[in-house]
Amino acid sequence: MSTIAAAVFDVVTALPDRACSMRDVIKALPDIDRDQVISAVHRLSDKGVLVARHHCFGFMYSLAPGATRPTDGRGRPRKHETINALL
């Protein structure tokens, strides 16, 4: 999974109630293109990492029960995570 997906996961995890709108995620990642953030949210939702719930103001996204941070696509933690764990 992309580093953008990992950034989206981190944003949702960092929120106090662990639920946010698409707009909240986009605002939290101003350095990443809006379309890339939207695409990453949809991919995470399709893979079951995020759960989308419809509210009167649109969709709210939260972590799925048992969701884990995205890996490098081969099931391994990303290199920077491994290095940080060793420090």
Side-chain angles (χ1 to χ4, degrees), residues 3-81:
T3 55
I4 297 171
V8 168
F9 183 89
D10 292 342
V11 165
V12 177
T13 302
L15 295 171
D17 56 358
R18 292 191 175 193
C20 59
S21 67
M22 182 71 75
R23 183 177 178 166
D24 295 332
V25 178
I26 292 168
K27 286 170 83 176
L29 300 170
D31 296 336
I32 301 174
D33 180 65
R34 179 182 193 269
D35 292 334
Q36 290 178 314
V37 172
I38 292 169
S39 179
V41 169
H42 288 293
R43 276 194 315 276
L44 289 172
S45 181
D46 289 344
K47 291 181 183 264
V49 176
L50 294 180
V51 175
R53 291 187 174 87
H54 190 265
H55 290 272
C56 58
F57 299 111
F59 284 95
M60 296 296 287
Y61 296 90
S62 60
L63 292 178
T68 57
R69 194 167 193 273
T71 60
D72 69 353
R74 297 182 198 147
R76 300 179 304 210
R78 297 186 181 280
K79 286 183 182 178
H80 72 274
E81 292 173 0

